[in-house]
Amino acid sequence: MPDQTATHPGKIFALASAYWQPCALHAAVKLAVFTNLAIGPATAPELAARLGADPRSLAALLNGLTAMGLLEKEQKLFRNTPLTARYLDRNSPDYAGHIVMHHHHLVEAWSRLDEAVLSGEPVERRGHGEEAERESFQMGMFNLASAIAPELAGTVTLTGVKHLLDLGGGPGTHAVYFCLANPHLRATVFDRPTSHPFATEVINRFGVSGRVDFVAGDFLADPLPVGYDAVWLSQILHGLAPQDCRRLIARSVATLPPGGRILIHEFLLNDDLAGPLFPALFSLNMLVNNQGRSYSEKELREMLGEAGVEEIVRLPFRSGNDSAVLQGIKG
């Protein structure tokens, strides 16, 4: 019997409206709904008074969030779920709203994807407030990295490595977790000066200020620091065009002594570049924002080989969004 779902338009309809739920979540985080409900359960009019919002409109948002499983409702009282209480209350130590707001700031660019496809250039975005957007990006990267860094630190063996260079490390999340997992290790985060305050916050939060430091610079333009026996590039290459990826890999390898190792953490595409889903869609995210894209394991292996890297292996790690780690040794 033919599969009727193959020609039913339901999938198209569902995809066309799939942005509704993220937009509701973005609005709730932006309005501090979950942070205010952490004070205590409230009706829509009560919460509206706290937020300075229209009660009818807020009730629609709260009911939508309840239908999404992000709030609980009993009688007329709304309260956080255990999930949102932990991750979306700004006063929680596990607050992950930064990455939600980062995605909120991306919506405008994504709405103009057709322009980027026609021109081959990123779209010019209207500002959301430079400081707010910078915080959302930097601490959003901390949110994302924190979810996988403990597992990564246990998967990546750094035996014999004394000093790690975390190139383009932003807030330094991976450097911190590598040092927590390896008591002998020191690490240096190298990134633009705008990342420095965020890295300082994270380094101090985890009590590793004596072992993790920060050096400011542009990894494509400025001299890279030397004296390291391993270099870590996490989610950096997808922001670069292929020629700049080759140049950065070559520059990174040049900082290492013979036998030093390079580790690349990226969303990896299949060799045909048409999947998995997240890396393929992430290439579109890069298209509207910069000149980068996701790369396949084959492409990165070729770039590493061109830079004189040998013994290239894929480590036994794979995240839920298909990121993986390639390791190689400088010949």
Side-chain angles (χ1 to χ4, degrees), residues 21-87:
Q21 290 192 57
C23 285
L25 174 59
H26 299 173
V29 172
K30 189 174 184 180
L31 294 170
V33 165
F34 305 104
T35 301
N36 277 274
L37 283 178
I39 300 170
T43 65
E46 289 169 345
L47 188 59
R50 296 180 196 171
L51 299 177
D54 174 68
R56 181 190 65 84
S57 303
L58 182 62
L61 176 60
L62 296 177
N63 284 320
L65 294 168
T66 302
M68 291 163 60
L70 297 177
L71 292 178
E72 296 172 350
K73 184 178 183 182
E74 185 177 358
Q75 299 299 326
K76 295 183 178 181
L77 285 174
F78 294 91
R79 59 170 52 86
N80 285 328
T81 66
L83 180 71
T84 55
R86 179 175 178 181
Y87 292 109

Side-chain angles (χ1 to χ4, degrees), residues 165-189:
L165 177 62
D166 185 356
L167 200 57
T173 316
H174 288 295
V176 166
Y177 274 96
F178 281 136
C179 284
L180 291 175
N182 299 273
H184 65 281
L185 184 67
R186 292 176 57 227
T188 296
V189 180

Side-chain angles (χ1 to χ4, degrees), residues 110 113 116-117 279-289 292-294:
W110 268 87
L113 175 60
V117 170
L281 292 180
F282 197 81
S283 279
L284 295 179
N285 187 51
M286 294 296 96
L287 175 64
V288 297
N289 285 286
R293 64 174 176 85
S294 300

Side-chain angles (χ1 to χ4, degrees), residues 121-307:
E121 298 292 335
V123 298
E124 184 178 351
R125 296 165 53 210
R126 292 180 289 275
H128 297 274
E130 184 177 347
E131 195 61 37
E133 191 163 352
R134 182 181 297 121
E135 180 188 29
S136 295
F137 175 76
Q138 291 284 353
M139 297 312 292
M141 297 307 100
F142 169 75
N143 291 156
L144 290 178
S146 295
I148 61 171
E151 181 184 354
L152 260 175
T155 301
V156 177
T157 302
L158 295 177
T159 304
V161 175
K162 296 179 180 179
H163 204 163
L164 173 82
L165 177 62
D166 185 356
L167 200 57
T173 316
H174 288 295
V176 166
Y177 274 96
F178 281 136
C179 284
L180 291 175
N182 299 273
H184 65 281
L185 184 67
R186 292 176 57 227
T188 296
V189 180
F190 184 90
D191 209 333
R192 295 179 183 272
T194 50
S195 297
H196 195 182
F198 301 101
T200 299
E201 177 185 341
V202 171
I203 290 165
N204 290 339
R205 182 188 304 185
F206 286 87
V208 290
S209 58
R211 297 170 56 207
V212 181
D213 62 354
F214 185 95
V215 175
D218 181 328
F219 52 59
L220 284 177
D222 296 326
L224 297 182
V226 295
Y228 305 91
D229 38 15
V231 60
W232 168 256
L233 289 82
S234 178
Q235 308 294 16
I236 298 302
L237 298 181
H238 63 233
L240 304 175
Q243 64 271 21
D244 285 332
C245 285
R246 289 184 171 85
R247 188 155 68 93
L248 182 58
I249 289 174
R251 298 190 87 209
S252 301
V253 173
T255 70
L256 296 169
R261 73 183 77 176
I262 181 171
L263 297 132
I264 294 176
H265 173 225
E266 276 294 340
F267 306 121
L268 291 186
L269 285 165
N270 300 331
D271 287 347
D272 67 1
L273 309 183
L277 179 62
F278 187 89
L281 292 180
F282 197 81
S283 279
L284 295 179
N285 187 51
M286 294 296 96
L287 175 64
V288 297
N289 285 286
N290 57 42
Q291 298 292 339
R293 64 174 176 85
S294 300
Y295 293 94
S296 69
E297 178 178 343
K298 179 182 178 182
E299 289 175 311
L300 294 183
R301 282 178 173 271
E302 290 174 352
M303 293 179 190
L304 286 166
E306 291 169 4

Side-chain angles (χ1 to χ4, degrees), residues 96-104 136-137 139-141 143-144:
H98 297 296
I99 190 60
V100 176
M101 291 308 300
H102 172 58
H103 282 285
H104 168 67
S136 295
F137 175 76
M139 297 312 292
M141 297 307 100
N143 291 156
L144 290 178

